[in-house]
Amino acid sequence: MRKLLFFVLAPLLLILATLSCRKDVEVFINEDTSLDTATLNGYAGFYLLNEGNMGSNKSTLDYFDYTTGKYQRNIYAAINPNVPKELGDVGNDIAIYGNRLYVVVNASNKVEVMDARTARRIGQVEIPNCRYINFHEGYAYVTSYAGPIQVNPDYTQKGYVAKVDTAALSVVDKCIVGYQPDGIEITGGKIYVANSGGYMGAGNTAKYERTVSVIDLATFREDKRIDVAYNLHHIKADRRGNLWVTSRGDYKSLPSRLYFIDKDQQKVTDTLPVAVSNYYLDGDSLYIYSTEWSYVTYSNVISYSIVNTRTREVVNRSFITDGTDKEIEIPYGIMVHPVTKDIYVTDAGNYVSPGMLYCFTKNGKKKWSVRTGDIPAHFALLPKS
């Protein structure tokens, strides 16, 4: 069952098994690891958010310092020792905006806000079942499932996007979208939201959502829906303002795929035959990994590829070139450094033990690896001050 963690329904299945017999779990202690890789590359370092298993309250925050070459685990707990329950339950997204660091903590129903330089806690914004975050002109926009965590084919609560004043740390408006909205992108005066319907689709493909909601930024109201595919997840705009949307498929006969939305036509005009669990856009290159689970074969198919967003072609089917991809059990997070082009891939392993972070050169050769918290997943680069 642990392999289902890639998907929206997975934590929901696990929580029923874990909460009923759960004991208090000791979170990771803070510790440093010297990687002897100090470098000057225009960034101070990066944060890595470890999701932690749902119901275990083990989401943690790590930090890698480029100037010292040190990797620090569980810094939030060390820097904020008086915060009850520490970071919270299931860290789902992380981003830096201005001088603040924002962490979306899904099952704890909050966005945790910290100083970006020190990771010292500033406050929090309460948003139920929150998922992903984006920013525009002083506001944060956060997708919310709105209702309880519950696999239910008859789920009735539509999701929404919360508009958050980043100065006051308060929700000032909401826009209703589809069921279980996930990824969010802002471009060209519009907010684009990938609706998944993940709570309703389990066991019934037709009950998944299959649209992208388009919200006008000025009015903060939904203008239209763009039909894409079942069970959408991530959405990202390329340098031309066109959108790349991922579908998880139904884990059976309907495979995961990558879809291209033309910004002018406002519709899907291309589909790429590549499965996507997550991706990272660097320039015109979309770095993709996939761990595609199948209920038919009860196994995963793991792949690493690169798509050229200008030509809309798959240009690389294996960006890890030295065979060390075999060390990675379950790829779970990805980032590409904008200057060095180093590629970072995380490994969730067995989902209940500390994971691993791998660093590869731009040519796909392994440079180093280091132990992380449980289920390492989401990155945020910290610019130099």
Side-chain angles (χ1 to χ4, degrees):
M1 183 177 293
R2 69 191 186 200
K3 294 181 184 295
L4 305 183
L5 276 166
F6 301 106
F7 318 124
V8 172
L9 66 90
L12 313 175
L13 301 176
L14 285 171
I15 193 171
L16 299 177
T18 58
L19 288 184
S20 60
C21 59
R22 173 188 160 201
K23 297 179 181 179
D24 289 336
V25 180
E26 182 181 357
V27 298
F28 300 119
I29 61 171
N30 172 251
E31 64 180 28
D32 296 352
T33 301
S34 179
L35 298 174
D36 297 322
T37 58
T39 181
L40 299 178
N41 55 33
Y43 289 84
F46 63 78
Y47 292 98
L48 174 59
L49 177 64
N50 303 287
E51 288 187 356
N53 289 101
M54 180 169 284
S56 66
N57 201 56
K58 286 178 67 178
S59 180
T60 58
L61 186 64
D62 297 350
Y63 180 72
F64 179 62
D65 190 324
Y66 281 126
T67 62
T68 64
K70 284 187 177 180
Y71 188 87
Q72 301 169 274
R73 296 175 68 234
N74 197 20
I75 63 168
Y76 182 89
I79 294 169
N80 304 282
N82 298 321
V83 177
K85 297 185 178 180
E86 300 183 2
L87 193 55
D89 197 3
V90 188
N92 206 73
D93 199 12
I94 186 171
I96 292 173
Y97 184 68
N99 59 3
R100 291 182 174 181
L101 176 67
Y102 296 79
V103 174
V104 179
V105 192
N106 170 233
S108 289
N109 305 302
K110 66 174 182 175
V111 177
E112 192 75 4
V113 185
M114 291 160 268
D115 183 281
R117 298 289 160 190
T118 65
R120 191 167 301 281
R121 186 177 193 267
I122 295 172
Q124 71 178 50
V125 183
E126 295 183 6
I127 300 175
N129 211 340
C130 43
R131 299 291 294 176
Y132 292 92
I133 192 168
N134 212 321
F135 302 88
H136 184 76
E137 294 185 353
Y139 292 96
Y141 296 87
V142 183
T143 53
S144 167
Y145 283 8
I149 298 173
Q150 181 184 76
V151 174
N152 181 355
D154 299 316
Y155 205 88
T156 59
Q157 177 64 60
K158 282 191 174 183
Y160 64 80
V161 175
K163 182 178 182 179
V164 178
D165 185 322
T166 57
L169 293 184
S170 62
V171 176
V172 296
D173 204 353
K174 299 175 184 178
C175 179
I176 302 297
V177 288
Y179 292 100
Q180 292 87 64
D182 274 321
I184 179 169
E185 180 63 293
I186 302 174
T187 182
K190 304 287 185 183
I191 303 172
Y192 295 88
V193 179
N195 300 304
S196 72
Y199 286 172
M200 299 114 68
N204 187 342
T205 302
K207 289 211 167 187
Y208 283 120
E209 280 270 22
R210 52 175 298 126
T211 62
V212 167
S213 289
V214 184
I215 301 170
D216 181 73
L217 257 176
T219 63
F220 197 53
R221 292 295 176 263
E222 185 183 56
D223 276 350
K224 61 181 295 187
R225 298 277 188 96
I226 301 173
D227 185 68
V228 181
Y230 289 119
N231 199 6
L232 303 182
H233 191 190
H234 299 292
I235 185 165
K236 179 71 69 175
D238 63 25
R239 295 198 287 193
R240 290 156 292 282
N242 298 311
L243 296 152
W244 295 85
V245 189
T246 72
S247 163
R248 300 178 180 94
D250 64 359
Y251 321 120
K252 297 175 184 176
S253 59
L254 186 66
S256 169
R257 283 293 178 261
L258 179 63
Y259 296 87
F260 175 83
I261 295 177
D262 183 279
K263 66 174 181 180
D264 297 321
Q265 299 183 57
Q266 291 282 283
K267 68 178 184 180
V268 173
T269 60
D270 205 353
T271 303
L272 277 70
V274 56
V276 185
S277 294
N278 202 353
Y279 54 28
Y280 193 91
L281 183 60
D282 178 66
D284 285 330
S285 296
L286 197 62
Y287 289 75
I288 297 167
Y289 75 82
S290 173
T291 308
E292 191 172 22
W293 172 259
S294 170
Y295 276 116
V296 177
T297 64
Y298 282 87
S299 63
N300 285 312
V301 176
I302 296 174
S303 60
Y304 303 91
S305 55
I306 300 175
V307 167
N308 184 310
T309 58
R310 185 178 292 276
T311 63
R312 304 203 295 275
E313 296 175 328
V314 180
V315 295
N316 188 319
R317 290 284 183 178
S318 182
F319 61 72
I320 300 174
T321 59
D322 61 358
T324 54
D325 56 301
K326 301 299 187 294
E327 298 177 17
I328 302 174
E329 184 177 357
I330 301 293
Y332 206 81
I334 187 169
M335 181 182 74
V336 179
H337 194 284
V339 177
T340 67
K341 306 304 178 184
D342 284 347
I343 306 165
Y344 299 89
V345 178
T346 68
D347 183 2
N350 63 7
Y351 296 107
V352 295
S353 302
M356 295 290 294
L357 168 63
Y358 291 83
C359 178
F360 301 92
T361 68
K362 62 182 179 180
N363 297 317
K365 311 293 185 183
K366 180 182 171 183
K367 293 177 67 175
W368 51 260
S369 61
V370 67
R371 188 166 60 104
T372 66
D374 285 7
I375 315 180
H378 312 283
F379 293 88
L381 271 166
L382 178 65
K384 281 190 173 295
S385 56

